[in-house]
Amino acid sequence: FCAVIAWGRRRQMELIYLKCTWLCIAYCFSFVGALIFAVIQRRLFDHVNNQTTSMADFTAVVYNLPLITGDQFAEEQLEQAIFAFTREQVVGVSIC
């Protein structure tokens, strides 16, 4: 019985290079596959985003607003300022 176990151990060590080779090939294949999948997903998203209208198409992001306290009506002031600058109807303002 011990001879069979010893033979199995020797055979396992003889084939360890094959196991490691398979592991490296599988890892590289899955890594490259993930990169290809990411590129395909990005292209599909860009295509769909360009073909459809969403809320992001009607959004403006404003940076460098002055710091104010919470007791002022900042949303209304900002809405009026944006309307005065763009002459476009402002549906809503949210300060984050």
Side-chain angles (χ1 to χ4, degrees):
F1 185 70
C2 290
V4 174
I5 293 174
W7 174 84
R9 176 72 177 156
R10 276 194 315 274
R11 189 71 177 144
Q12 181 183 19
M13 289 298 112
E14 289 171 1
L15 296 175
I16 194 74
Y17 75 92
L18 190 61
K19 182 178 180 180
C20 291
T21 302
W22 164 252
L23 181 66
C24 291
I25 290 172
Y27 177 79
C28 292
F29 179 75
S30 65
F31 180 75
V32 170
L35 291 178
I36 292 170
F37 180 72
V39 169
I40 291 171
Q41 286 293 99
R42 180 60 188 206
R43 288 182 180 176
L44 179 64
F45 171 78
D46 289 340
H47 175 72
V48 171
N49 193 33
N50 290 335
Q51 298 298 321
T52 59
T53 303
S54 66
M55 291 297 290
D57 297 325
F58 300 97
T59 303
V61 179
V62 181
Y63 293 100
N64 299 325
L65 293 174
L67 295 176
I68 57 173
T69 60
D71 59 350
Q72 301 171 0
F73 297 106
E75 284 87 359
E76 287 137 8
Q77 293 174 1
L78 185 58
E79 182 178 345
Q80 292 169 358
I82 291 173
F83 176 76
F85 184 76
T86 63
R87 298 289 181 218
E88 293 288 331
Q89 179 186 6
V90 178
V91 175
V93 174
S94 177
I95 297 177
C96 300

